[in-house]
Amino acid sequence: MISSTGMSLSPLGQRLRVLLSAERAMGDLRPYFGIGLPPGGAPFTGSRFEHRAGGGDRQEVADRITAEDLVAVQTLWVTVPAPVSLDILEGPLGAQLSGLLHAIPRDIDMIDADAVVVADGSPADQAWSVLCEQYGVNWVFASIS
């Protein structure tokens, strides 16, 4: 898929573009985040994903996946296999991902990012690929990390 800037989008970029451009996306997101729910209605647990423990943009945790992040993905009903979690937290996988995350701009929302941020071979695309290569990790976890 080619972006509006003429750049080739990575599989992650393609998936994001399709999901965010779907006509029903706004209708699905409103109740997900608890907007317009009837009295007593509750938002989905995943609506707290990015806010768990103050979010991942804090200076002391930026550019790495923490135990809090692994708990946060569980609000989305996603389980990360224990060996992968430990490698992310204590092993070379975590160090590799940290280096890739450091190369992704933090001062923009992904929705506002230029296509180059998620293009084939970009640090975001590489991090997604590295996670997808791990035994028992599916595209859902890889996409939200």
Side-chain angles (χ1 to χ4, degrees), residues 19-75:
L19 290 173
L20 295 174
S21 65
E23 286 192 29
R24 68 176 226 204
M26 190 62 102
D28 289 343
L29 289 171
R30 293 181 69 74
Y32 185 84
F33 286 102
I35 299 169
L37 289 178
F44 288 79
T45 58
S47 67
R48 302 271 324 276
F49 163 75
E50 65 194 64
H51 303 292
R52 179 83 185 109
D57 291 335
R58 296 181 331 264
Q59 188 64 37
E60 66 272 17
V61 296
D63 302 329
R64 63 187 178 99
I65 299 173
T66 66
E68 290 292 347
D69 295 324
L70 296 172
V71 170
V73 299
Q74 291 186 45
T75 68

Side-chain angles (χ1 to χ4, degrees), residues 23-134:
E23 286 192 29
R24 68 176 226 204
M26 190 62 102
D28 289 343
L29 289 171
R30 293 181 69 74
Y32 185 84
F33 286 102
I35 299 169
L37 289 178
F44 288 79
T45 58
S47 67
R48 302 271 324 276
F49 163 75
E50 65 194 64
H51 303 292
R52 179 83 185 109
D57 291 335
R58 296 181 331 264
Q59 188 64 37
E60 66 272 17
V61 296
D63 302 329
R64 63 187 178 99
I65 299 173
T66 66
E68 290 292 347
D69 295 324
L70 296 172
V71 170
V73 299
Q74 291 186 45
T75 68
L76 302 170
W77 296 94
V78 174
T79 301
V80 180
V84 176
S85 294
L86 291 171
D87 197 6
I88 288 171
L89 297 174
E90 303 171 345
L93 179 59
Q96 181 181 12
L97 290 169
S98 181
L100 292 167
L101 292 172
H102 183 73
I104 301 170
R106 274 189 271 143
D107 58 345
I108 56 170
D109 284 334
M110 290 304 286
I111 189 69
D112 297 325
D114 291 331
V116 69
V117 174
V118 293
D120 284 335
S122 69
D125 179 56
Q126 290 176 52
W128 185 74
S129 295
V130 165
L131 283 168
C132 285
E133 292 168 0
Q134 305 309 305

